[in-house]
Amino acid sequence: MTLEGVSIMSLTITVIGLGQMGGNMALTLKAAGFAVTGSDVFEQARDRLASQGLEVAAPEALPETDVYLLSLPTSAHVREVLESSPGLLAIAPKGSVIIDTSTSDPSVSRMLAQKVAEAGLAWLDAPVSGGPKGAASGKLGMLLGGDEVVIERVRPILEAMSAKRTHVGGPGSGHVVKLANNYLCAAHLVTTAEAVAMAAKAGVAPEACLAGLNSGSGRSAVSEVNFPEWIVSGRFDSGFTTGLMRKDLRLARDAAQALDLPLPLLQMVVDLWHENADRPHDRDDFNHIASPILDNAH
């Protein structure tokens, strides 16, 4: 298979941010046949991926590659990597593509996309869903914000990482839709927990209630996946933390406020997720938001 007459495997990639998501994406791309280098500010993360066969480099020693794929906690980290440490705007080869898979502030992403273009680079925001398991299996969902020509240039990489890709608009648009998605996920966790708690209090087992919900119009990915997989099972090991969901909800609220768009239910969901900093704690699996609600049914 070729891309504009060049073997797709000739595309070289540097993955910056080797946490559960970035590390698994890097390994998936390597397994697909791409030349991949991983980098992280933490030596322990680099060593962990090196022990799994990935080529790694310290941030101050990044190779020149066709693509720089970022998997970082916040927009501030993305901005730092681009502008200062290591400063991709200055050191990345002209024409290379920056792919931001983080869940970032859309306004910051649009500003950075402009700077990327001015530096002679290309930008694509591509926030992902599917968790570490999806990253490891190449079955992520991706929301793409950027120019179609950029998407085509890196399509083989996107296809190796994801089962579903949706182009939603220009730079920043992927992050807008990702925040909208995570707002709904956060709300569904609360509403589904309340529905299951109500049923349990009335004598209906959670499993039976969920089966009923999933056969009707009240179903969602939360009722079909999160509840059986992580909540009812008691595993709570999705790989996504409460702190990250709280951050995403604040970003969604801030985006709505910047647009002068009153969304009272969004504000209520934000408030509920921040109501008790210890239950769940920021480091806890985000599905734990359902626990206090379900406990009230006992």
Side-chain angles (χ1 to χ4, degrees), residues 92-181:
K94 299 299 182 185
S96 58
V97 181
I98 310 295
I99 302 178
D100 181 17
T101 68
S102 320
T103 299
S104 298
D105 182 333
S107 63
V108 174
S109 295
R110 285 170 172 149
M111 178 270 291
L112 292 176
Q114 182 62 37
K115 289 191 174 187
V116 163
E118 291 168 356
L121 312 174
W123 170 274
L124 182 66
D125 43 88
V128 297
S129 59
K133 183 177 179 181
S137 62
K139 300 299 183 184
L140 291 168
M142 306 185 84
L143 297 166
L144 306 178
D147 295 334
E148 186 65 44
V149 66
V150 178
I151 294 173
E152 286 305 316
R153 281 181 59 193
V154 299
R155 186 173 296 278
I157 292 172
L158 304 179
E159 289 178 345
M161 295 167 57
S162 61
K164 186 173 184 179
R165 298 157 298 282
T166 307
H167 185 199
V168 294
S173 299
H175 289 140
V176 170
V177 179
K178 179 62 174 175
L179 294 181
N181 176 84

Side-chain angles (χ1 to χ4, degrees), residues 175-197:
H175 289 140
V176 170
V177 179
K178 179 62 174 175
L179 294 181
N181 176 84
N182 282 15
Y183 160 45
L184 288 176
C185 179
H188 291 162
L189 275 164
V190 174
T191 57
T192 304
E194 290 186 349
V196 171

Side-chain angles (χ1 to χ4, degrees), residues 225-245:
V225 178
N226 295 52
F227 264 76
E229 186 80 7
W230 296 303
I231 298 173
V232 175
S233 69
R235 293 200 349 252
F236 294 102
D237 60 354
S238 71
F240 190 67
T241 67
T242 299
L244 287 174
M245 179 58 92

